[in-house]
Amino acid sequence: MSLTLELEGDTVVVARRRFAAPPEDVYRAHMEPALIQQWLLGPDGWSMPVCINEGRVGGKIRYEWSNGDGQGFYLTAEILELDPPHRIVHVERMHLPDPTPDNRVETTFTADGEGTLMVMRMSLPDAATRKAMLETGMEHGMEASYARLEDQITSTMPAG
Amino acid sequence: MCYIAVVSAAERLDAAFGALADPVRRAILLRLVEGEATVGELAEPFEISQPAVSRHLKVLEGAGLIVRRVDGTRRPCRLAPGSLDDLDDYLARLREALEINYSRLDRLLAATRASTAEPHERKKEGRKS
């Protein structure tokens, strides 16, 4: 079930993951704001108070994240192609608050037994942008994983 | 066994935790991903003094995250070998960041299936248990 990441050439990152639900459900979870707001949240403690996804080709996407403590950032995107429930193509950038270069993301959902194989192909404009994106991911990932490890340690250590 | 693994990881990472708990030190590490830098170069983006940066560097050095070498009067720093210095490591971190979202999505999908399941399917499940 776990996620694999692969680098292709200098500018592409491909993520693959399986889900125990049919493509229809996984597709909806990527397109419907009420569902997106329940999982696309990053580390524990973050929420998505604003979630706009117009759900049509040419439509706009805007996701805003907040840690409830004054920190936050947002993403804007445009939907380029939709083939429900199999394929979503959009172009996105993060606003930190300066916008990052455009990331073209093609996400496909293929039936795989009773579940779904998701392949997400992220194409960055150049190698330096891809490196910067990976670094940003690393920073967020570091915070989240260390927070989780801390939780594990706290819960397995005898109190006091 | 899980307990032992966690405790030994805790001991090993104790110093690293302390070092990584500070946003300036995390920013310093990210800067060093690009290559070696001196105290002056590292202090530049922050509104803090060079001695303050030096104190942060001592913490990072003590945690084994960076190493320093002597070059005349300069003591440039770089990431410790095997620390955070290659794309594989970036990928591992990014994978963890994404996986947090997707394991949340797994739970959401499971809950959606359960609530939309046909009544007779649920009854069947009930009888099984």
Side-chain angles (χ1 to χ4, degrees):
Chain A
M1 208 72 117
S2 77
L3 180 91
T4 65
L5 279 180
E6 220 176 282
L7 299 180
E8 273 184 19
D10 286 338
T11 60
V12 174
V13 184
V14 181
R16 288 187 174 79
R17 196 181 189 284
R18 287 189 161 74
F19 295 97
E24 288 76 10
D25 289 12
V26 186
Y27 179 90
R28 278 183 59 205
H30 279 77
M31 292 299 291
E32 293 182 16
L35 297 175
I36 294 167
Q37 279 174 306
Q38 294 181 55
W39 69 271
L40 192 61
L41 302 174
D44 287 342
W46 286 74
S47 66
M48 190 192 284
V50 175
C51 179
I52 297 166
N53 183 323
E54 294 183 338
R56 57 175 172 80
V57 173
K60 297 213 180 307
I61 290 173
R62 183 183 173 102
Y63 300 150
E64 293 186 20
W65 289 275
S66 159
N67 71 346
D69 200 22
Q71 270 189 287
F73 55 93
Y74 65 100
L75 170 150
T76 58
E78 293 81 46
I79 299 172
L80 304 178
E81 294 174 48
L82 287 179
D83 177 19
H86 298 297
R87 187 161 175 268
I88 302 166
V89 183
H90 72 273
V91 59
E92 68 173 39
R93 76 283 314 163
M94 306 289 292
H95 301 259
L96 304 164
D98 293 331
T100 57
D102 281 359
N103 179 8
R104 183 186 186 277
V105 185
E106 177 190 35
T107 313
T108 60
F109 309 102
T110 311
D112 176 42
E114 292 188 0
T116 299
L117 170 65
M118 180 194 81
V119 180
M120 183 168 65
R121 177 180 298 268
M122 295 169 273
S123 308
L124 289 311
D126 51 58
T129 302
R130 184 178 73 177
K131 181 165 179 278
M133 188 196 76
L134 295 175
E135 283 175 7
T136 309
M138 180 183 89
E139 200 182 22
H140 288 292
M142 262 162 77
E143 288 193 12
S145 53
Y146 283 117
R148 204 175 41 226
L149 185 52
E150 273 177 333
D151 285 348
Q152 283 171 5
I153 291 162
T154 316
S155 61
T156 48
M157 291 287 190
Chain B
M1 194 158 149
C2 192
Y3 174 78
I4 293 168
V6 170
V7 171
S8 92
E11 284 172 355
R12 197 159 31 85
L13 289 172
D14 204 37
F17 270 140
L20 290 167
D22 182 277
V24 173
R25 289 197 286 271
R26 287 200 296 272
I28 289 172
L29 284 178
L30 287 173
R31 164 62 186 84
L32 292 176
V33 167
E34 291 161 24
E36 199 173 76
T38 62
V39 178
E41 287 162 351
L42 290 170
E44 221 170 284
F46 304 109
E47 289 179 358
I48 54 174
S49 63
Q50 286 201 13
V53 170
S54 291
R55 282 195 293 276
H56 284 306
L57 294 178
K58 274 208 188 90
V59 176
L60 291 170
E61 198 175 9
L65 293 169
I66 67 166
V67 291
R68 308 181 74 174
R69 64 184 179 88
V70 178
D71 174 18
T73 57
R74 302 161 69 243
R75 293 200 61 207
C77 317
R78 62 188 162 81
L79 290 180
S83 167
L84 300 168
D85 54 355
D86 60 24
L87 280 178
D88 283 347
D89 207 63
Y90 291 164
L91 287 177
R93 305 294 178 189
L94 181 61
R95 189 156 51 227
E96 285 175 38
L98 292 170
E99 191 52 42
I100 288 171
N101 283 340
Y102 290 131
S103 34
R104 216 180 264 132
L105 177 54
D106 283 336
R107 293 193 290 275
L108 174 64
L109 291 167
T112 310
R113 291 316 277 172
S115 66
T116 57
E118 297 292 324
H120 73 270
E121 279 181 32
R122 265 192 272 176
K123 228 195 279 169
K124 242 193 310 189
E125 274 173 24
R127 249 179 294 174
K128 231 186 284 169
S129 59

